């Protein structure tokens, strides 16, 4: 169905249904996305204060066939939060709905509104001596609703799972304006189709998440962090297996980093302190979280000694304080900022079966080197098979010199990932950037089912039009 633009007439009509100051002209930050690939063209943004006001907005858009884009913190990297073309949609920002509605420490559960900042949710859990483990670089600005809609990953997936694994229930407004009251705190509820998991990861195309019941966990009694030089990606995988054999689920972070990332930090962010005069070719940032009775230093010292004996690790640093551990993590968290400053030709958020990663790294690097004068920064959450595999111009070259290679580079990487039974989108989602990739690599039966679900729940196609599934 053809959508109508959200114009001045629509704005005047909707404003009469809402409290004053709920509908505003959109701000520049609502129309941009972090990588600068697209510029949105929505003239207005609705800023509801509660779920009923969200329902009023969605109902109006459904009745008038107006596109609607749910907007969280705007930190997504695949363009799901902006619409660069088509009839001007209305933006729906949840930034006023930030309440921590309730905390149940004995149940290890918390109910929060969708506009709550991730860092604030983490802090609220800490106030109850609990842990909400979702953690990523943008946690100071990313909002819960957007994180759940995109099924965010982050650094703790190895131990706690993706965002969808941290949700007990949802409250949401469906595309016809109905409110789904699904905020149960149950660990078991076997009553038919699970709408929760349908909305989680749907990127705002099937409804608007307004609140969530989140899982909490006991806070670890102690944590330990180590930065280890490994001989190869294969050695890193063997180290991961050794660490999990020795420590089980106490391994909570396992990040692989290539020397290129540290070179970028030296070049673009020289104030970030690095612990070595010459970065190793490959390194691992390892974090463990322990219950009472175990000493992190002892556990990491034993692991390091055993790994050196097995020729997996050539050297390593064990953080002696929380400050030093924070410095180690700062290295990892600033690599994406350095990447942005250098300017990638093509960036890839991929996942692979763990055993396929060494072969992928070798084969992809060899193939791409024949295409042009490039360098590769490969880093990411090795413990869950998620690599950020980004291709940059060689020193002295500009990204614009190699723009013509972007599509060929992306296809080369994604074809190889697909051949190895991996995914071209590990944690960032589809958005508008990867709709063609979903059509190229997606299973036909899955795509047909996705379109059938979209058509059934959103027959007018108003929810985030153009994201995830391109209109037929």
């Amino acid at each position: 169905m053809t959508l109508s633009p959200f114009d001045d007439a629509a704005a005047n009509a909707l404003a009469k249904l809402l409290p004053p100051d709920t509908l505003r002209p959109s701000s520049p930050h609502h129309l941009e996305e972090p990588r600068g690939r697209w510029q949105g063209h929505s003239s207005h943004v609705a800023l509801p204060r509660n779920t009923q006001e969200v329902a009023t907005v969605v109902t109006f858009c459904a009745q008038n066939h107006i596109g609607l884009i749910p907007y969280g913190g705007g930190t997504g990297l695949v363009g799901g939060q902006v619409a660069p073309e088509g009839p001007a949609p209305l933006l729906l920002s949840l930034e006023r709905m930030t309440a921590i509605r309730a905390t149940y420490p004995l149940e290890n559960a918390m109910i929060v509104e969708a506009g709550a900042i991730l860092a604030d949710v983490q802090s609220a859990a800490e106030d109850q001596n609990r842990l909400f483990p979702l953690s990523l670089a943008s946690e100071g600005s990313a909002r819960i609703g957007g994180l759940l809609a995109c099924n965010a990953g982050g650094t703790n997936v190895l131990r706690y799972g993706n965002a969808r694994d941290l949700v007990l229930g949802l409250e949401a407004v469906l595309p016809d304006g109905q409110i789904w009251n699904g905020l149960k705190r149950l660990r078991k509820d076997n009553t038919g189709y699970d709408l929760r998991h349908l909305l989680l990861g749907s990127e705002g195309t099937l409804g608007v998440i307004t609140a969530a019941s989140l899982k909490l966990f006991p806070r670890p009694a102690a944590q330990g962090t180590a930065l280890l030089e490994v001989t190869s990606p294969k050695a890193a995988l063997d180290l991961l297996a050794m660490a999990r054999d020795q420590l089980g689920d106490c391994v909570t972070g396992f990040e692989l980093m290539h020397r290129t990332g540290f070179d970028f930090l030296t070049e673009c962010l020289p104030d970030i302190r690095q612990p070595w005069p010459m970065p190793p070719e490959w390194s691992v940032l390892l974090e463990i979280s322990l219950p009472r009775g175990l000493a992190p230093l002892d556990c990491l010292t034993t692991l390091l000694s055993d790994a050196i004996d097995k020729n997996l690790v050539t050297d390593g640093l064990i953080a002696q304080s929380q400050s030093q551990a924070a410095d180690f993590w700062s290295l990892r968290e600033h690599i994406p900022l350095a990447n942005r400053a250098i300017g990638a030709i093509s960036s890839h958020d991929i996942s692979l079966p763990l055993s396929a990663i060494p072969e992928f790294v070798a084969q992809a690097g060899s193939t791409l080197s024949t295409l042009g004068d490039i360098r590769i920064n490969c880093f990411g959450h090795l413990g869950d098979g998620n690599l950020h595999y980004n291709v940059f111009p060689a020193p002295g070259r500009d990204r614009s010199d190699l723009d013509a290679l972007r599509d060929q580079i992306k296809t080369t990487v994604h074809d190889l990932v697909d051949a190895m039974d991996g995914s071209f989108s590990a944690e960032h989602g589809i958005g508008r950037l990867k709709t063609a990739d979903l059509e190229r690599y997606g299973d036909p039966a899955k795509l047909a089912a996705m379109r059938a679900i979209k058509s059934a729940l959103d027959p007018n196609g108003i929810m985030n039009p153009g994201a995830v599934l391109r209109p037929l």
Side-chain angles (χ1 to χ4, degrees):
M1 179 173 292
T2 301
L3 296 177
S4 301
F6 190 81
D7 53 21
D8 289 342
N12 290 334
L14 178 57
K16 294 175 182 178
L17 304 176
L18 297 168
D21 197 36
T22 303
L23 191 65
R24 296 180 184 176
S26 55
S27 300
H29 78 272
H30 288 124
L31 304 178
E32 300 166 351
E33 53 87 33
R35 289 180 174 170
R37 292 180 181 272
W38 297 282
Q39 183 73 28
H41 67 141
S42 303
S43 61
H44 288 80
V45 57
L47 298 108
R49 297 167 180 82
N50 55 57
T51 303
Q52 185 55 59
E53 290 178 11
V54 175
T56 298
V57 172
V58 175
T59 299
F60 177 87
C61 289
Q63 292 173 344
N64 293 278
H65 300 159
I66 291 171
L68 183 68
I69 299 182
Y71 189 92
T75 61
L77 298 176
V78 290
Q81 69 274 52
V82 294
E85 55 191 24
L90 172 65
L91 291 177
L92 176 65
S93 173
L94 281 296
E95 62 195 74
R96 283 177 165 171
M97 296 178 59
T98 61
I100 308 295
R101 292 187 185 175
T103 306
Y104 304 89
L106 293 180
E107 299 180 18
N108 281 318
M110 171 190 287
I111 297 179
V112 307
E113 291 186 338
I117 298 289
L118 174 56
D120 294 336
V121 174
Q122 295 168 339
S123 179
E126 185 175 357
D127 289 344
Q128 300 292 326
N129 194 31
R130 291 294 183 267
L131 172 71
F132 182 62
L134 184 62
S135 180
L136 40 96
S138 61
E139 61 194 32
S141 54
R143 299 181 186 273
I144 286 295
L147 291 166
L148 300 185
C150 295
N151 187 30
T155 58
N156 287 333
V157 172
L158 175 62
R159 166 64 179 87
Y160 297 103
N162 286 307
R164 72 166 63 249
D165 300 305
L166 304 175
V167 179
L168 295 169
L170 292 176
E171 174 189 88
V173 178
L174 301 179
D176 62 357
Q178 287 190 88
I179 298 173
W180 171 45
N181 297 295
L183 282 177
K184 293 182 178 180
R185 308 187 305 277
L186 303 177
R187 308 282 168 151
K188 291 183 176 180
D189 181 12
N190 200 8
T191 54
Y193 303 145
D194 194 334
L195 296 184
R196 168 189 49 162
H197 282 294
L198 196 57
L199 289 173
L200 294 168
S202 66
E203 302 185 47
T205 63
L206 299 178
V208 182
I209 295 171
T210 53
S213 294
L214 302 175
K215 293 181 185 178
L216 303 181
F217 296 82
R219 296 190 65 77
Q223 289 183 298
T225 305
L227 191 58
L228 308 175
E229 299 181 17
V230 294
T231 56
S232 66
K234 173 63 166 59
L237 286 176
D238 290 341
L239 174 64
L240 173 62
M242 177 184 289
R244 299 191 81 174
D245 283 345
Q246 292 186 12
L247 296 164
D249 282 344
C250 292
V251 181
T252 50
F254 199 92
E255 301 287 308
L256 179 70
M257 297 175 287
H258 186 256
R259 187 191 67 240
T260 301
F262 297 105
D263 292 342
F264 286 0
L265 289 175
T266 299
E267 184 175 341
C268 301
L269 298 170
D271 291 338
I272 301 299
R273 185 168 53 189
Q274 297 194 35
W276 36 52
M278 181 72 70
E281 185 75 9
W282 293 99
S283 60
V284 162
L285 178 58
L286 168 67
E287 182 173 271
I288 59 174
S289 300
L290 303 177
R292 289 187 184 131
L294 295 176
L297 182 59
D298 293 344
C299 293
L300 289 174
T301 299
T302 298
L303 177 65
L304 176 57
S305 176
D306 291 347
I308 290 175
D309 288 345
K310 296 287 188 181
N311 295 318
L312 304 179
V313 171
T314 54
D315 200 0
L317 298 168
I318 299 175
Q320 302 299 306
S321 65
Q322 289 185 348
S323 175
Q324 191 175 26
D327 286 343
F328 289 173
W329 275 106
S330 179
L331 292 170
R332 166 62 180 85
E333 290 165 355
H334 280 87
I335 287 175
L337 299 180
N339 283 351
R340 198 173 303 166
I342 296 292
I345 306 166
S346 185
S347 300
H348 315 95
D349 164 44
I350 59 175
S351 63
L352 292 147
L354 291 183
S355 60
I357 287 175
E359 181 185 355
F360 168 83
V361 170
Q363 191 170 334
S366 176
T367 302
L368 292 174
S369 67
T370 67
L371 300 182
D373 198 9
I374 62 169
R375 51 184 168 170
I376 296 167
N377 188 15
C378 174
F379 68 104
H381 321 304
L382 184 68
D384 53 54
N386 177 194
L387 297 179
H388 301 298
Y389 193 86
N390 303 332
V391 180
F392 299 83
R397 302 292 300 274
D398 187 81
R399 178 171 65 176
S400 60
D401 298 337
L402 300 167
D403 268 350
L405 293 175
R406 176 178 293 133
D407 288 344
Q408 189 176 1
I409 290 172
K410 184 185 76 167
T411 300
T412 298
V413 172
H414 287 174
D415 280 355
L416 183 57
V417 167
D418 186 60
M420 293 183 172
D421 204 24
S423 170
F424 66 88
S425 179
E427 63 178 355
H428 291 164
I430 301 298
R432 289 170 174 79
L433 177 64
K434 299 180 180 180
T435 53
D437 294 303
L438 181 61
E439 293 167 3
R440 177 182 176 94
Y441 301 106
D443 180 83
K446 177 182 177 179
L447 289 174
M450 288 175 63
R451 289 197 176 277
I453 292 167
K454 172 71 170 173
S455 178
L457 292 183
D458 183 21
N460 295 323
I462 68 165
M463 297 303 305
N464 209 358
V468 183
L469 295 170
R470 291 195 290 191
L472 292 174

